[in-house]
Amino acid sequence: MKTIGVLTSGGDAPGMNAAIRAVVRTGIANNIRMLGIRQGFHGLINGDLDDMEIPSVADILHRGGTVLRTARSEEFMSEDGLKKALNVIDVYNMDGIVVLGGDGSFRGALELSKAGVKTIGVPCTIDNDLAYTDYTVGFMTAVETAVDAIGKIRDTSSSHGRANVVEVMGRHCGDLALYSGVAGGAESIIVPEMDFDVEEICQKLLRGRNRGKLHHIIVFAEGVGNAYELTKEIEEKTGIETRLTVLGYIQRGGSASSFDRILASRMGVRAVELLLEGKSGRAVGFKCNEVIDVTLDDCLLQEKAFEHNLYEMARVLSV
Ligand code: F6P
């Protein structure tokens, strides 16, 4: 193995830079030529890449976003796009590629590995929607961002005696809502994995109000549907002023938490080690406090289990 490329693809996630740093420095420590591919598979198709040396990744550990930039490339998923990418891989004599991203990026990585390119995936997404790993890089930082916002919204909720719906990201996965709702002490958590009852939410809100509670936070996962409609319905049914805050892209930015920096570093190192061991078509993960690796096929097939215990715990604790 002489040359390895690294790219970040799909939605960015805090900690991607820590993972890039780990991949590049592990490669260089093993006398590998490291190539940084810009804008994910889009850059791979267009040969938009550069050599990365030790200073290329200096001072990025704490930075949000991804220094390699990212993109969602439709073209790569076409036959022609894959052909162009394989040509660039050939021209630059790349012996392996590390793909940092979520499930869409892993599908791209799988295509590359099926085409004979040694490829390893590192899970980086705020959604935590990959079943084979307990955590994806960026998830816990996004939870911290959402919890910080929920705390601020609770302040103004109390001042005005309002209810507040807070919409968080997560695509079809409720983990971001569940974790931030539990840590933020939300009165209700609404996730795509569980049915919810508006009447129950309204009764809880009114019960709290009768006890003298001034705030009420409902964390709503974007994958559920229309948060604005729910906000209006709650206000109509309870007569209590109810406001909606969509947290949006602040959840994707910012400096990664220590947890995510360590996770990204451990997984980035392991990804390069796997390539050096001659492995391909695998994704690195983190299960029961251990760095693991599974086939990309497996990690895309496994169905994510929802943490019912945590959800039920929140229902008991948030009255
Ligand atoms: O996958 C990460 C994520 O932030 C999701 O939570 C969200 O649904 C989506 O990306 C937004 O995608 P885009 O950046 O294309 O708007």
Side-chain angles (χ1 to χ4, degrees):
M1 180 107 357
K2 291 200 171 83
T3 306
I4 293 177
V6 55
L7 61 83
T8 51
S9 156
D12 58 354
M16 273 183 162
N17 282 330
I20 295 169
R21 173 178 175 269
V23 168
V24 169
R25 292 211 164 149
T26 307
I28 290 173
N30 286 280
N31 303 313
I32 305 278
R33 179 185 180 199
M34 296 302 297
L35 296 174
I37 301 156
R38 279 183 286 270
Q39 284 191 275
F41 293 108
H42 176 75
L44 183 60
I45 288 171
N46 296 299
D48 184 8
L49 47 83
D50 258 326
D51 276 283
M52 293 191 94
E53 310 294 346
I54 287 178
S56 320
V57 290
D59 220 17
I60 67 167
L61 183 63
H62 60 288
R63 280 169 57 188
T66 157
V67 292
L68 287 176
R69 304 192 51 221
T70 186
R72 300 190 196 274
S73 171
E74 291 282 318
E75 191 186 358
F76 178 74
M77 295 318 273
S78 70
E79 212 177 297
D80 193 43
L82 180 62
K83 240 191 235 161
K84 284 188 195 166
L86 292 175
N87 182 48
V88 171
I89 288 167
D90 198 39
V91 167
Y92 284 89
N93 293 315
M94 278 185 237
D95 305 300
I97 295 197
V98 180
V99 172
L100 315 182
D103 60 346
S105 311
F106 279 13
R107 267 179 256 283
L110 183 59
E111 288 309 309
L112 279 182
S113 94
K114 280 186 183 156
V117 181
K118 290 203 163 30
T119 311
I120 303 292
V122 176
C124 299
T125 164
I126 63 163
D127 298 339
N128 209 38
D129 55 352
L130 290 160
Y132 78 98
T133 181
D134 289 342
Y135 299 105
T136 54
V137 172
F139 169 67
M140 284 308 254
T141 305
V143 169
E144 293 302 333
T145 301
V147 169
D148 179 57
I150 289 167
K152 288 171 176 155
I153 292 166
R154 184 188 292 104
D155 290 345
T156 170
S157 181
S158 298
S159 304
H160 288 263
R162 286 173 177 155
N164 289 72
V165 177
V166 183
E167 184 188 294
V168 300
M169 282 185 166
R171 213 181 279 275
H172 306 297
C173 178
D175 277 22
L176 192 45
L178 178 62
Y179 277 64
S180 58
V182 169
E187 277 69 25
S188 299
I189 301 171
I190 304 179
V191 292
E193 294 87 345
M194 301 296 292
D195 290 334
F196 72 99
D197 179 0
V198 186
E199 296 301 333
E200 202 181 292
I201 292 169
C202 292
Q203 280 161 21
K204 197 177 200 181
L205 169 50
L206 291 170
R207 275 200 309 273
R209 194 48 57 102
N210 288 339
R211 287 201 318 267
K213 195 172 193 174
L214 290 175
H215 64 264
H216 194 95
I217 304 287
I218 299 148
V219 175
F220 181 96
E222 65 172 356
V224 174
N226 192 325
Y228 181 66
E229 291 299 325
L230 176 74
T231 307
K232 275 199 310 194
E233 197 178 340
I234 292 172
E235 183 167 272
E236 276 161 22
K237 290 200 158 121
T238 60
I240 293 169
E241 257 193 316
T242 307
R243 296 282 200 263
L244 169 65
T245 304
V246 179
L247 292 189
Y249 293 95
I250 63 163
Q251 296 160 97
R252 291 243 294 260
S255 184
S257 65
S258 304
F259 178 85
D260 273 328
R261 293 182 200 188
I262 294 165
L263 184 68
S265 302
R266 293 177 77 173
M267 295 210 270
V269 168
R270 186 66 192 131
V272 175
E273 284 173 0
L274 287 171
L275 285 176
L276 294 175
E277 287 165 18
K279 307 259 173 63
S280 177
R282 303 189 73 78
V284 183
F286 194 66
K287 199 93 193 160
C288 303
N289 223 19
E290 294 278 341
V291 179
I292 56 152
D293 56 278
V294 301
T295 66
L296 282 167
D297 263 324
D298 265 1
C299 82
L300 289 169
L301 282 176
Q302 279 180 40
E303 214 167 296
K304 170 103 182 152
F306 183 66
E307 287 182 63
H308 289 274
N309 290 346
L310 195 56
Y311 181 80
E312 289 308 326
M313 185 194 89
R315 280 164 67 89
V316 173
L317 296 184
S318 58
V319 282

